[in-house]
Structure formats: C-alpha cells, structure tokens
Amino acid sequence: MTCQNCQTENNLSHKFCRECGSPLQDIKSFMYCVNADLLEKEGNFNKAIEEYQKALNIDLSNTNIRNRLAELYEQHNMADKAIDQYVILKEINPLYADIHYRLGSLYYRVSKINEAIQEYRAAVSINPQYKSAHYQLGIVLYHTGKLEEAIYHFKEVLRIAPDYLLARYHLGITYERMQR
C-alpha cells in the first residue's frame, strides 16, 4: 500500500507508513476502525460491525477491514454475511489458502457441502501442508461417502502431524466403514 503523504510503499498489513507514520488509509475510515475496535472491546459487536461497514464503504479495497468484518460476522453466527466478505477477499487474493479454508468451514456450517469440498480442496492445493484443511476435507468426504479420498486426506494430516489423534481416529473409523 502506498502512503498518500510520502509515496513510500508499505506492507499491506501495516496501519501506518513506515517512513512518515501517516495512517495508510483514509483518516475517516481509520477513525471508524478505531471506534469499531473500542466497541468490540466493550462487547458491543453490532455497533462495531456498523463502524467497520462505514470504514469499508470509504475504502472498499482495504482487505484488513473486510477480513475483520468477516471474522466478526463469523463469530456472531452471521454465516451468509461472512461468506459474502470472504468471497470478495478470495477474489482479491485467490492464492490465500486461509480464505478458502474459512469459506469451506462456513459452507459446511450452512450445509453447502459441494462448495465446502471445493474450498477445502483449493486450500490444500495452495498449501499442501495445511493440516486443518486436509482434516476438515477428510471429515466432509467421510460424511459424503467418499471414503478413499477421505483416507488420503487423513493420511496427509498424519504425514504432516503424526500425533494428530483425531485424524488417526477418523482414519480408523473410515477404514472400518469401508469394510462393511
């Protein structure tokens, strides 16, 4: 992100310019975010969401605001709104495995199983070491009867993290189910 004051290129995760210290987003947007953060700390999540929405309306390309808003929606059981934000984030950065993972989790939560599988597959394709995505993909595949593929993903989890007991358990029950 380029600082509007000194034109220094900054990391996207920075809130202030590394050269001159200026806020890296519109000052009004920045103040909405400060207010949202305070409201969130006070436990006033609905008002915090409103403040993040105001900030986002000023700065639509700000992925930090959009991500925080998506997280709040997710934490407060507003899955459809969280999905909307994560879909936009995925369009902005399609190679960010965590966005695919979060979308997969939300789709699974709202019973959009095919979409969940697609997002979990994207996450492990982008990051083959993403054990949580392999594990969740294995779970969804198990429940949809795709047992051989579920076994593959549980084995991947155990290759990455040999002590992951839940993956070992689910691998066992998947083998057991195949023998019936």
Side-chain angles (χ1 to χ4, degrees):
M1 176 178 285
T2 305
C3 176
Q4 307 230 346
N5 288 340
C6 70
Q7 302 307 309
T8 300
E9 197 59 38
N10 291 276
N11 202 336
L12 283 176
S13 64
H14 292 169
K15 293 182 180 182
F16 298 94
C17 177
R18 62 184 167 88
E19 190 67 32
C20 71
S22 296
L24 290 175
Q25 61 193 67
D26 178 279
I27 193 68
K28 200 170 187 180
S29 173
F30 176 75
M31 292 311 297
Y32 284 131
C33 288
V34 169
N35 288 339
D37 189 49
L38 291 171
L39 289 163
E40 205 176 326
K41 287 177 181 163
E42 293 172 359
N44 195 339
F45 299 108
N46 290 331
K47 288 285 188 191
I49 287 170
E50 287 176 20
E51 293 296 298
Y52 281 125
Q53 287 170 330
K54 290 175 188 175
L56 194 56
N57 287 337
I58 293 169
D59 190 0
L60 290 172
S61 65
N62 191 313
T63 56
N64 292 328
I65 297 170
R66 191 172 300 282
N67 189 59
R68 188 65 201 124
L69 187 56
E71 289 171 349
L72 275 177
Y73 284 142
E74 187 175 359
Q75 291 166 5
H76 296 284
N77 297 317
M78 298 181 217
D80 290 335
K81 290 183 177 188
I83 288 169
D84 292 343
Q85 295 304 319
Y86 285 131
V87 165
I88 294 168
L89 286 165
K90 180 176 78 167
E91 290 169 2
I92 294 168
N93 188 355
L95 297 178
Y96 189 43
D98 197 47
I99 296 299
H100 291 281
Y101 176 78
R102 289 176 180 202
L103 270 170
S105 297
L106 284 163
Y107 283 137
Y108 187 61
R109 188 185 306 171
V110 298
S111 300
K112 293 184 177 180
I113 304 305
N114 291 331
E115 291 89 341
I117 290 170
Q118 179 182 341
E119 294 301 335
Y120 287 137
R121 283 184 176 149
V124 299
S125 173
I126 293 165
N127 181 359
Q129 301 299 311
Y130 202 153
K131 73 177 179 195
S132 297
H134 278 292
Y135 177 74
Q136 287 305 129
L137 181 53
I139 294 293
V140 177
L141 292 167
Y142 172 85
H143 288 293
T144 57
K146 298 174 183 166
L147 303 181
E148 287 183 19
E149 195 177 351
I151 286 170
Y152 169 81
H153 289 286
F154 292 136
K155 284 183 175 181
E156 281 298 292
V157 173
L158 294 170
R159 182 187 59 76
I160 297 163
D163 295 332
Y164 201 119
L165 294 179
L166 280 174
R168 189 168 305 284
Y169 168 77
H170 282 98
L171 179 61
I173 65 170
T174 305
Y175 275 128
E176 182 179 303
R177 185 173 169 194
M178 283 184 73
Q179 292 174 354
R180 289 184 202 159

